[in-house]
Amino acid sequence: MPDLLEREREVADKKWFAYRFMTPLAATKHFAELYSKGFKAYIRFNGDRDEAELRQGLGQKIFREPGRSLTELWHARQRADELGLPYDLLIEFGFRFAGNYRWKNAPRPMQLFGSAESEVAWPLEIEKFLKEQLPLVIDRLADLPQYRVENYRRLPAQDQFRTYLVDHILASNKRWASRLAIPCIEKRHLPLLKAIKLAPKDQRWRVITELRAERDSEFLVEAPKVALPQIAFVPACFGLVAAHDAASSPCTSCAFSVMCQRMFKTASAEMIKRHGSTAPLKDERDEKRKAGQRRRTERCRAKKKVATLMSSPAAN
């Protein structure tokens, strides 16, 4: 699926922050797992409980035997990335939307984004849904050591995440100590000395005192410090950009550009060694399409030949 892999570069810096350092395959498998859970819940709520336990929504061999279902699933995950949506929220809303509008069947992965009949209602309703649910998801972003202050490397994803957190903090109506406790102390996603400047000057000392008291009383549990290898920081599109694309932005400013090209060449060489091509599935599909076209052409020529013989004077 070379066309799908090429699109990973387009969505790499748009996807929700939890997936910025995931490989496309890992992200798609995660999306599939959440979709299957949502599918079962939909059948259980709108249909039969026993039937729900038997149905998966996706074929069990979807990743072992790639086909149209995997392509659709991959497209759906990329669409979620393009919109910057957390997969769990998108899937929860997609099934809820289908249930509210009494769809006859549970939505397929690409139908989570609505249908032609709901192109107006779907965007309006998911906007309201995200306004309520997204702040809760932000507070659950704990298992992301790449964003902790000790691992900060000025990577675009890290800077964008910090900007997003700052906007979230400024939009909050909580006390300042409560706003800063989780991102600065518990998860260490923002350095406290910089974040404290978001608070009014006359409140900063009191906020720091409150945070120290909470930390000393063990109300706040700090995330463990994890030493990450360099490979843990590569972007989701790592190794998927062809050499002739390397000079294009944003690849030129990427800290992993050289490593990326090296990995792309290594992976391409291995694919050719094993399968004789960098896109064996595409080649197989193209060959089947060409074979089908040849058969249709031969049948058409045979029909014309028969028609010509039937209309010739000798035939009469």
Side-chain angles (χ1 to χ4, degrees):
M1 300 182 289
D3 55 330
L4 292 182
L5 295 182
E6 289 175 6
R7 190 157 182 261
E8 295 298 339
R9 172 58 268 170
E10 300 173 15
V11 302
D13 57 355
K14 298 177 182 178
K15 58 176 57 184
W16 179 243
F17 299 104
Y19 320 128
R20 297 282 181 101
F21 299 102
M22 271 188 180
T23 66
L25 179 59
T28 306
K29 286 184 174 181
H30 181 53
F31 188 96
E33 181 181 355
L34 294 172
Y35 174 83
S36 293
K37 290 180 180 178
F39 186 90
K40 280 181 174 293
Y42 181 88
I43 297 299
R44 191 180 300 115
F45 184 78
N46 295 283
D48 187 284
R49 288 180 175 271
D50 294 332
E51 180 188 2
E53 297 307 314
L54 299 174
R55 299 182 64 180
Q56 301 291 331
L58 299 169
Q60 293 183 349
K61 299 181 180 179
I62 188 170
F63 288 99
R64 294 198 299 271
E65 299 177 4
R68 292 182 178 178
S69 294
L70 179 57
T71 301
E72 180 189 8
L73 179 70
W74 206 288
H75 273 302
R77 191 268 301 161
Q78 287 183 330
R79 177 62 176 154
D81 289 340
E82 184 179 36
L83 296 174
L85 296 175
Y87 301 155
D88 53 345
L89 289 192
L90 164 68
I91 291 168
E92 178 185 347
F93 174 79
F95 282 112
R96 181 185 297 189
F97 184 87
N100 290 342
Y101 281 81
R102 302 184 182 280
W103 287 19
K104 183 177 181 181
N105 300 310
R108 294 288 302 163
M110 280 302 293
Q111 292 175 328
L112 294 170
F113 302 90
S115 62
E117 291 75 21
S118 60
E119 60 182 7
V120 175
W122 191 91
L124 293 175
E125 293 195 25
I126 195 172
E127 184 177 357
K128 292 187 292 185
F129 176 78
L130 291 175
K131 188 174 182 180
E132 297 175 356
Q133 299 296 324
L134 199 53
L136 302 178
V137 174
I138 296 172
D139 290 339
R140 294 201 301 265
L141 285 171
D143 299 325
L144 294 171
Q146 289 92 338
Y147 293 113
R148 293 180 193 148
V149 292
E150 65 267 22
N151 292 320
Y152 180 62
R153 299 189 176 191
R154 292 186 172 84
L155 298 176
Q158 293 174 326
D159 287 335
Q160 291 167 17
F161 181 60
R162 287 189 171 189
T163 298
Y164 191 91
L165 283 181
V166 167
D167 291 341
H168 175 63
I169 290 170
L170 292 175
S172 175
N173 293 320
K174 297 179 181 179
R175 295 168 38 251
W176 274 101
S178 298
R179 298 190 207 186
L180 301 182
I182 293 177
C184 297
I185 306 299
E186 188 171 302
K187 299 179 181 178
R188 297 195 311 282
H189 287 157
L190 283 176
L192 179 58
L193 292 180
K194 290 186 177 181
I196 193 63
K197 295 180 181 178
L198 300 173
K201 286 185 178 181
D202 60 339
Q203 298 184 37
R204 292 175 188 174
W205 181 251
R206 179 167 55 83
V207 171
I208 291 178
T209 302
E210 290 179 17
L211 290 174
R212 285 175 176 169
E214 288 190 37
R215 183 177 59 185
D216 294 342
S217 62
E218 298 184 353
F219 283 125
L220 292 176
V221 179
E222 293 189 45
K225 291 187 177 181
V226 180
L228 299 175
Q230 188 176 23
I231 194 66
F233 296 95
V234 299
C237 56
F238 182 74
L240 303 178
V241 183
H244 63 272
D245 293 330
S248 63
S249 181
C251 295
T252 51
S253 59
C254 179
F256 300 97
S257 179
V258 175
M259 288 177 58
C260 180
Q261 291 307 305
R262 198 176 298 142
M263 179 59 72
F264 177 82
K265 292 177 181 178
T266 301
S268 298
E270 185 64 22
M271 286 291 292
I272 293 174
K273 179 181 177 181
R274 291 189 182 186
H275 307 286
S277 168
T278 57
L281 287 177
K282 180 178 182 299
D283 293 345
E284 181 181 351
R285 292 172 184 172
D286 289 345
E287 184 54 39
K288 288 182 178 179
R289 178 179 55 79
K290 291 177 182 178
Q293 182 61 47
R294 286 195 296 268
R295 288 193 295 269
R296 289 189 292 272
T297 300
E298 290 172 1
R299 287 196 296 267
C300 182
R301 287 175 178 173
K303 289 180 181 179
K304 287 183 179 180
K305 186 175 182 180
V306 171
T308 300
L309 291 174
M310 293 295 293
S311 62
S312 66
N316 297 324

